[in-house]
Amino acid sequence: GSGQMIVVSGEAGIGKSRFLQEVIQSARSFGVHVFLGAGQAVEQNTPYHAWRPVFIQMFKLQAAMAPDARAAYILQQLDGDEELARLAPLLNVVLPIDLDDNEFTEKMSGEVRAYNTHKLLASLLLRSANDSPVMVVIEDAHWFDSASWAVVRQVIRDVPPVMVFLATRPMPEPFPPEYEEILGQEDTDSIKLAGLTRADTSTLIRQRLEVLRL
């Protein structure tokens, strides 16, 4: 019933993805629904790109669907919620769909449109979490665009039942303001992965070789 934010940081190749594989496997064994996203270097200027896979998985969109079919499919899934359906055109910037603005969304622009988009995405996650426990795992946060960071912040504020794991390389300063805010949250835990000590390396080798000493 209560979520948490966990930031996993470490240099490239240190084992962040391997660590998250264990987390995901464990969560799924307990019946937790896991959504996966990722930042990408080539998409750093594309708003919401890190969250796109999360909502594609949530809506179970198929790549083979025609654009018109995708749009109809999304509206069908939102049919039971008038407020979410009214905001559906805001999903154009997140999902591979092209919904025409309605009389409500066509009046939105700039910060107002962005704010409502963030609220919509958080509401969709909350709706999903009402059906079953949800965890969101997003890798390569060091390549996030500002809109992806803003959604992370919105989810932490508005969707307490969801646990969020972010994996990132060490951030160069100055940190993105949203990242600083996230690290300062009471419910945020930070896990820093580093290389094994000599003693840990020896223990690992002995375990793998099934011997008592080297």
Side-chain angles (χ1 to χ4, degrees):
S2 61
Q4 194 172 9
M5 179 78 198
I6 301 177
V7 178
V8 182
S9 61
E11 298 290 348
I14 202 68
K16 298 184 295 296
S17 295
R18 184 71 186 87
F19 174 79
L20 290 176
Q21 285 175 14
E22 292 291 333
V23 169
I24 292 166
Q25 183 177 346
S26 178
R28 285 175 172 162
S29 72
F30 284 101
V32 176
H33 201 151
V34 182
F35 296 119
L36 308 176
Q40 297 183 43
V42 297
E43 297 281 7
Q44 281 181 287
N45 295 319
T46 303
Y48 308 103
H49 77 272
W51 285 91
R52 184 172 299 164
V54 170
F55 289 97
I56 286 176
Q57 293 159 40
M58 180 183 296
F59 282 106
K60 299 179 181 177
L61 284 180
Q62 303 297 322
M65 284 183 176
D68 290 347
R70 290 193 203 118
Y73 179 66
I74 294 294
L75 291 175
Q76 182 182 13
Q77 292 194 56
L78 299 179
D79 189 42
D81 192 311
E82 183 178 343
E83 180 63 20
L84 293 181
R86 188 169 62 161
L87 292 170
L90 300 180
L91 291 171
N92 288 343
V93 293
V94 183
L95 296 172
I97 59 174
D98 187 15
L99 286 167
D100 292 331
D101 272 322
N102 53 45
E103 60 181 12
F104 183 61
T105 59
E106 68 182 1
K107 299 173 184 177
M108 298 179 186
S109 61
E111 291 185 7
V112 173
R113 194 176 185 92
Y115 172 78
N116 281 280
T117 301
H118 304 161
K119 294 284 287 185
L120 170 60
L121 297 178
S123 296
L124 289 169
L125 273 173
L126 181 59
R127 187 178 74 156
S128 181
N130 288 333
D131 296 331
S132 64
V134 167
M135 184 168 73
V136 177
V137 177
I138 307 184
E139 296 198 59
D140 295 327
H142 48 279
W143 285 326
F144 275 15
D145 61 280
S146 59
S148 291
W149 276 121
V151 174
V152 174
R153 181 174 59 185
Q154 194 77 45
V155 168
I156 294 171
R157 290 175 176 175
D158 292 358
V159 196
V162 172
M163 175 174 279
V164 181
F165 271 84
L166 285 187
T168 180
R169 295 177 190 172
M171 290 278 190
E173 295 186 7
F175 295 153
E178 296 89 353
Y179 183 59
E180 281 196 300
E181 181 179 336
I182 289 166
L183 291 178
Q185 293 284 333
E186 185 176 328
D187 290 334
T188 297
D189 280 338
S190 182
I191 300 174
K192 295 182 179 180
L193 301 185
L196 296 178
T197 65
R198 185 179 180 86
D200 288 338
T201 303
S202 177
T203 300
L204 178 61
I205 293 172
R206 284 186 283 111
Q207 287 176 348
R208 289 291 186 265
L209 296 179
E210 297 182 354
V211 298
L212 295 178
R213 67 176 186 272
L214 295 173

